[in-house]
Amino acid sequence: IPEADIFVGGPRPDKHNLVASYRGKGGPNAPKPLLLLAHIDVVEALKADWSPDLDPFVFTERDGYYYGRGAAADKALASIFVANVARLKREGFVPDRDILIALTADEESGPANGVDWLLKTHPQLVDAALVINEGGGGTLRDGKPLFNAVQAAEKVTTNYTLRVTNKGGHSSVPRADNAITALADALGKVGRHHFPVKLNDVTRAFFAQTGPLEAPAMGRAMAALVANPADAQAAAVVAGDPKYNSMLRTTCVATGLSGGHATNALPQLAEANVNCRIYPGETAEEVRLALERVVADTSVHVLIKSQRPPSPASPLLPEVMGPVARITRELWGPMPVIPVMSTGATDSRFFRAKGVPALGVSGLFSDPTVDARAHGRDERMAVKSYFEGQEFLYRLTKALSSSVVAQ
């Protein structure tokens, strides 16, 4: 790729991003580019937290797995995008639209998010009609592929501060209006509160298609909930799985706590951070007001500490879902391709906020019972899954960058 088509830059020297443009046929009628997006930062990891014979920052191949921080999130996808474009280049493939690769910084809640920075300062570099990113992937059960997921929606992260102030005093003369006690009561109420069940097009399709693959009781509950989201009994069964519960509603959980200034003084300030994952369509202010109603104590102030912009669901475009389904069948045989809503956040949210379709699709299969290690101890990616995902994304990239998309 010519140097003129490669950009490296960021808000500071240790927060650079790389954008490379693989040029297509061009011309006045050429469709807008396809953007392959992956972040290359990782979450922190301590060697002491991993198995003694593994170092999180030493890439290790063992027993059919690649181990290392970022093996699952998100360096597998980043390396696959680069390898596939190199393969297309060697083959002399000329796409009908430009293919952009963006390898970005600080997706993992850092201070200088690469996608946000690029869209604000160099939007022309990532001006695309479609974004392929992380968030989707295949599920294995007993070593066999079960379904391939396409992430089309995600919840929005908002942090709230619950704050109680008091004039304080000597601890030998306690009063009823104690800041720490009031905060503790408020957090107990928040912890026990369940926001209403909601379904959108993505989650409705997810539960409808996942139900037949689940144990009979869970499958029946999913079907009943899709038919009637107000079915409290079905909702209780589905919500019994924490992962599914988080897909049903806004969730809020206390993640930080501070209060008091001396062991022999009444607290003058007590604060807690409450991290909420807001269901698409709800606003941060609506959730703040709901928390106020739940707490029901005027001495506890509920403040928005930080919030991210709304992230509407991406449309399940036939010109994308068709090739995804076809290539899935080619590689793994007949199995469902299921849309999914992430309970965590990805960089797709920045494009969705601007109306650009962004889908999480990778073809990287894992078993959630043993391989759900992203951000955790002994993070890994199966070697077989890695290379199968590479082939899947090679074929998908080629299909999505051609003017006639096979269905």
Side-chain angles (χ1 to χ4, degrees):
I1 294 178
E3 186 175 345
D5 288 334
I6 299 175
F7 170 86
V8 178
R12 62 192 210 206
D14 63 334
K15 299 295 180 183
H16 275 181
N17 310 278
L18 182 146
V19 182
S21 302
Y22 181 180
R23 298 298 180 185
K25 295 177 181 178
N29 298 319
K32 290 180 69 174
L34 166 70
L35 173 60
L36 307 177
L37 175 66
H39 68 88
I40 53 174
D41 65 311
V42 298
V43 299
E44 294 293 336
L46 297 176
K47 189 177 187 306
D49 294 336
W50 282 43
S51 293
D53 55 346
L54 288 172
D55 187 319
F57 293 105
V58 175
F59 182 69
T60 304
E61 181 178 356
R62 179 185 301 167
D63 302 327
Y65 286 92
Y66 293 135
Y67 288 88
R69 177 57 89 227
D74 183 34
K75 291 185 174 180
L77 194 63
S79 62
I80 284 172
F81 285 155
V82 173
N84 281 346
V85 166
R87 177 179 172 183
L88 293 172
K89 191 77 172 177
R90 287 195 305 271
E91 294 172 352
F93 175 68
V94 180
D96 292 316
R97 68 199 321 170
D98 291 354
I99 301 172
L100 309 177
I101 293 182
L103 307 178
T104 61
D106 266 16
E107 191 269 354
E108 302 287 4
S109 300
N113 183 281
V115 172
D116 189 34
W117 182 83
L118 285 166
L119 286 170
K120 288 177 178 175
T121 62
H122 298 77
Q124 74 284 356
L125 294 175
V126 288
D127 184 18
L130 173 67
V131 179
I132 298 297
N133 188 24
E134 65 171 338
T139 294
L140 298 173
R141 180 178 291 171
D142 299 326
K144 298 179 180 179
L146 187 64
F147 65 86
N148 199 6
V150 176
Q151 188 247 44
E154 61 188 72
K155 298 171 83 173
V156 177
T157 303
T158 301
N159 285 295
Y160 296 85
T161 298
L162 270 59
R163 178 180 297 157
V164 185
T165 57
N166 198 290
K167 63 181 181 180
H170 202 285
S171 62
S172 66
V173 188
R175 300 193 313 271
D177 55 344
N178 183 286
I180 290 178
T181 302
L183 180 62
D185 289 343
L187 291 176
K189 294 175 183 177
V190 171
R192 292 187 294 271
H193 177 67
H194 296 289
F195 283 81
V197 169
K198 291 192 174 183
L199 295 178
N200 57 29
D201 289 344
V202 175
T203 56
R204 187 175 291 106
F206 173 83
F207 287 117
Q209 296 180 54
T210 304
L213 306 175
E214 281 285 355
M218 179 64 78
R220 288 192 296 271
M222 287 181 172
L225 196 61
V226 169
N228 178 18
D231 187 329
Q233 186 174 359
V237 173
V238 177
D241 184 313
K243 177 176 84 269
Y244 292 152
N245 177 64
S246 191
M247 294 180 67
L248 287 177
R249 50 169 56 94
T250 290
T251 59
C252 293
V253 60
T255 57
L257 189 62
S258 64
H261 61 284
T263 59
N264 60 348
L266 299 176
Q268 294 177 267
L269 172 67
E271 288 187 337
N273 187 83
V274 173
N275 179 265
C276 295
R277 304 301 174 119
I278 299 178
Y279 203 90
E282 295 183 20
T283 68
E285 178 61 15
E286 288 172 342
V287 173
R288 191 193 70 80
L289 292 173
L291 290 174
E292 280 190 345
R293 291 191 296 270
V294 170
V295 170
D297 184 344
T298 56
S299 72
V300 180
H301 301 281
V302 182
L303 311 169
I304 296 176
K305 180 180 180 181
S306 64
Q307 66 182 106
R308 290 173 171 171
S311 179
S314 290
L316 298 169
L317 301 169
E319 60 268 30
V320 178
M321 299 303 290
V324 169
R326 173 177 57 80
I327 298 167
T328 297
R329 290 194 302 269
E330 291 173 357
L331 292 176
W332 296 288
M335 74 171 65
V337 172
I338 300 178
V340 67
M341 179 183 75
S342 290
T343 56
T346 71
D347 279 338
S348 292
R349 68 185 187 274
F350 295 105
F351 291 96
R352 290 178 179 139
K354 293 184 175 295
V356 179
L359 296 172
V361 53
S362 69
L364 294 166
F365 279 73
S366 62
D367 186 335
T369 63
V370 295
D371 293 329
R373 304 185 184 191
H375 299 186
R377 175 185 171 97
D378 298 350
E379 183 176 349
R380 69 185 189 179
M381 168 70 62
V383 175
K384 181 175 185 288
S385 293
Y386 178 88
F387 286 105
E388 288 180 347
Q390 181 180 359
E391 180 63 24
F392 172 85
L393 286 166
Y394 166 78
R395 298 186 192 185
L396 183 64
T397 300
K398 205 166 186 179
L400 297 180
S401 58
S402 300
S403 58
V404 178
V405 179
Q407 298 297 316

